[in-house]
Amino acid sequence: MTERGEQRERVPVGASAVPRHRVRLDQPRAPRRSRLPEYDPEAFGRFSERIARLLGTGRFIVWMTVIIIMWVVWNVSAPADLRFDHYPFIFLTLMLSLQASYAAPLILLAQNRQDDRDRVTHEQERKQNERSIADTEYLTREIAALRMGLGEVATRDWIRSELQDLVKEMVEQRALFPADPSHRRDEGDR
């Protein structure tokens, strides 16, 4: 025992005095520190979409053309000691290659993000169409059931036509069989 009352674990002879950490299976491992820089993929995706939108405009092409023309004119007509890229314009070629090497992956990333959005939108529209079709089929069945039920119900027009037919029959019977005054026995009882 030490002065504080703690017990020290006895280390076998020849073993290291550095305590080993036991691997606990009931707890998750601590996250490792990555040597790679961390970034927000969503923010990077939005940035790539902005760049792709810029690269796809006429404004970019006009400005790029103006810069290249100024570059070439400067390096051809400026005094020799102020020129920074002589005739074969190797530095200009390097800059354009660098711009193209970054632009292509950014454009592809923006297209992939747009494809993902289109896929999600397409899936939502497909589900909405399925619900609409199911609702339409249900309403069609309900209307058919109502029509079948109404086929057995007496409508106002049908009752009116039946009553008119009965009135015609009564008029015809009265014409054929006029009322006999001798059959009026109950008139004196009143």
Side-chain angles (χ1 to χ4, degrees), residues 67-127:
I67 290 172
I68 291 172
I69 289 172
M70 287 173 41
W71 186 299
V72 170
V73 167
W74 178 264
N75 286 301
V76 168
S77 63
D81 58 336
L82 294 177
R83 295 180 192 168
F84 56 90
D85 191 16
H86 295 285
Y87 168 65
F89 305 118
I90 295 172
F91 190 54
L92 176 64
T93 305
L94 176 67
M95 295 307 292
L96 291 174
S97 297
L98 183 66
Q99 182 242 341
S101 68
Y102 274 98
L106 289 174
I107 291 170
L108 289 174
L109 180 62
Q111 285 178 341
N112 289 341
R113 286 174 53 89
Q114 185 62 44
D115 288 344
D116 291 343
R117 279 194 299 271
D118 290 344
R119 191 176 309 111
V120 168
T121 303
H122 177 69
E123 183 66 24
Q124 289 173 348
E125 288 174 354
R126 188 185 62 77
K127 287 179 181 178

Side-chain angles (χ1 to χ4, degrees), residues 31-38:
R32 293 187 208 175
R33 296 199 62 100
S34 175
R35 290 187 173 100
L36 299 174
E38 293 184 20

Side-chain angles (χ1 to χ4, degrees), residues 1-9:
M1 285 232 171
T2 60
E3 296 175 312
R4 292 186 210 158
E6 297 174 354
Q7 289 185 358
R8 287 195 141 187
E9 190 175 324

Side-chain angles (χ1 to χ4, degrees), residues 109-171:
L109 180 62
Q111 285 178 341
N112 289 341
R113 286 174 53 89
Q114 185 62 44
D115 288 344
D116 291 343
R117 279 194 299 271
D118 290 344
R119 191 176 309 111
V120 168
T121 303
H122 177 69
E123 183 66 24
Q124 289 173 348
E125 288 174 354
R126 188 185 62 77
K127 287 179 181 178
Q128 180 64 35
N129 288 341
E130 287 176 357
R131 285 192 298 267
S132 296
I133 289 171
D135 290 346
T136 303
E137 289 174 352
Y138 171 75
L139 290 173
T140 303
R141 287 192 300 272
E142 288 297 312
I143 289 172
L146 286 173
R147 283 185 178 167
M148 289 173 53
L150 282 177
E152 300 170 3
V153 173
T155 63
R156 181 177 57 203
D157 293 336
W158 182 80
I159 292 174
R160 185 177 291 143
S161 69
E162 289 295 314
L163 287 175
Q164 287 173 351
D165 290 344
L166 283 175
V167 168
K168 284 181 187 176
E169 277 183 41
M170 288 174 64
V171 168

